[in-house]
Amino acid sequence: MFEVIIIGASAAGISSAIYLSRRGIKPLILGFELGGEMALSGEVGNYPGFGQTNGVELTEKFLSHLRQYQAEPVLGVKITGLKKADDGFTVEGWKDSEANQVKYQAKAVIIASGAHPRELNVPGEKELRGKGVSYCTVCDGPLFKDKVVVIIGGGDSANEAGIMMNEIAQKTYLITKNPEMKGDPSLIRRLKESKNVEIIPKAMTEKILGDGFVSGIEYKDLSSGETKTIQAQGVFIHIGMIPNSDFVMPELAKNERGEIIIDKFCRTNLPGVFAAGDITDVQYKQIGIAVGQGICAGLSAVDYLNKLD
């Protein structure tokens, strides 16, 4: 029986673990891969105090800090279930392979399992991720100053990305399979007024081009059926995020997107279960915000455990 189990070994989970460790509580940190989306985010220029870094370096810094407290994440663990137990909670899953089933128990659980971008599933996407393909314009957009970029998506995240890149890129193409952009009318108005943005509706992305780095995209014009090409150095995909919340018990409150609903103390509707980072219904998905929520969840877990004694 552990005091606290943390599900997730990225920004939110490691931050929780550091604060718990400083309070004399040694948590069990479970994760499939170290760093999660943070480790895959490429160049990072907006994490306070670090200037220009990258996801791998930042992840290593987080791990080094955690190890100062003799804590180490258990990796290769895929969580498949979280259940209530008589004296706390049971976390189920497998380690390294489905044949190796594991089960852990704790008095409290912090869910920091993050989210993953919805993918296009087109040729070139996986091969060029981090090599011109990005799912975070806020993170990577400034790297494409005076370049030509393509934003793929039809909602507010794509609208916001287009408005941002209008001030950075030489030219921004925003392509959507829809007849027109959807979302906040004020954002769409600003997007249409942007001098360096061209919206291409009724366009279905078929391939991301590049040999080692992005060189463009191919898309199908849904009106004519013709395949067309755009030459570009960057591709930003904004077609939604999928929270990694499929393992939680049904009684844990989630919104329509599958994000875990929390209060300002990172508490869920179930006493003893906390959540932090991209898995939650917080509006902005940023490393710095995940860190702050991880700290909040850790401190809230301490308060919860103190009241159990």
Side-chain angles (χ1 to χ4, degrees):
M1 170 68 72
F2 292 88
E3 294 287 290
V4 180
I5 288 176
I6 299 171
I7 301 173
S10 188
I14 293 176
S15 299
S16 291
I18 289 170
Y19 268 69
L20 286 165
S21 298
R22 287 173 59 87
R23 297 293 288 268
I25 297 171
K26 187 175 182 179
L28 175 64
I29 312 153
L30 303 173
F32 190 70
E33 294 178 326
L34 180 66
E37 289 299 312
M38 175 172 68
L40 298 174
S41 60
E43 296 294 323
V44 177
N46 59 357
Y47 190 74
F50 279 74
Q52 199 69 30
T53 184
N54 61 62
V56 172
E57 289 178 356
L58 197 55
T59 298
E60 290 174 351
K61 290 285 188 181
F62 276 53
L63 180 60
S64 176
H65 192 173
L66 177 64
R67 284 172 170 167
Q68 293 179 23
Y69 301 99
Q70 290 73 53
E72 188 81 22
V74 179
L75 301 177
V77 179
K78 174 70 173 178
I79 304 302
T80 57
L82 171 61
K83 301 176 181 178
K84 292 205 298 187
D86 292 338
D87 50 356
F89 302 91
T90 299
V91 177
E92 300 174 340
W94 50 263
K95 186 178 187 311
D96 299 326
S97 73
E98 293 187 37
N100 184 25
Q101 297 291 310
V102 291
K103 184 181 293 188
Y104 310 93
Q105 288 190 303
K107 297 177 183 177
V109 174
I110 297 174
I111 304 172
S113 49
H116 61 279
R118 190 180 303 277
E119 297 179 351
L120 288 168
N121 293 314
V122 298
E125 179 179 11
K126 284 185 170 61
E127 296 86 345
L128 295 169
R129 180 169 183 171
K131 300 174 183 177
V133 171
S134 173
Y135 300 86
C136 181
T137 303
V138 172
C139 307
D140 299 328
L143 302 174
F144 293 84
K145 183 174 176 58
D146 298 327
K147 305 291 186 181
V148 178
V149 301
V150 176
I151 297 168
I152 301 170
D156 276 343
S157 62
N159 294 332
E160 292 169 352
I163 292 167
M164 174 181 168
M165 292 309 296
N166 177 60
E167 303 298 328
I168 296 173
Q170 174 190 344
K171 176 75 174 183
T172 298
Y173 295 93
L174 203 162
I175 70 172
T176 174
K177 63 182 180 180
N178 302 319
E180 57 185 21
M181 298 301 294
K182 298 180 178 180
D184 187 331
S186 65
L187 290 178
I188 296 172
R189 185 185 68 253
R190 288 180 59 194
L191 186 67
K192 290 180 177 179
E193 292 171 352
S194 300
K195 62 183 185 302
N196 296 324
V197 177
E198 180 179 342
I199 301 172
I200 304 176
K202 297 183 180 179
M204 180 70 73
T205 305
E206 295 189 324
K207 184 185 295 185
I208 298 176
L209 307 173
D211 182 9
F213 205 86
V214 166
S215 62
I217 69 159
E218 282 186 5
Y219 71 92
K220 183 177 182 179
D221 185 323
L222 297 179
S223 296
S224 66
E226 182 183 356
T227 297
K228 299 181 179 180
T229 301
I230 297 175
Q231 303 296 322
Q233 290 80 53
V235 175
F236 295 92
I237 300 170
H238 289 283
I239 57 173
M241 296 289 291
I242 302 174
N244 302 321
S245 62
D246 55 342
F247 60 86
V248 302
M249 64 278 277
E251 56 266 40
L252 190 70
K254 296 187 286 185
N255 63 18
E256 68 279 0
R257 293 184 295 275
E259 299 166 333
I260 297 172
I261 299 171
I262 57 170
D263 66 11
K264 64 181 180 180
F265 298 102
C266 291
R267 299 177 298 203
T268 71
N269 66 309
L270 297 181
V273 179
F274 307 87
D278 289 1
I279 189 70
T280 73
D281 60 343
V282 65
Q283 183 174 0
Y284 304 111
K285 312 299 186 183
Q286 295 290 300
I287 297 171
I289 292 172
V291 167
Q293 282 198 318
I295 292 168
C296 181
L299 295 175
S300 292
V302 171
D303 288 343
Y304 174 80
L305 293 172
N306 287 340
K307 292 173 182 176
L308 289 182
D309 297 336

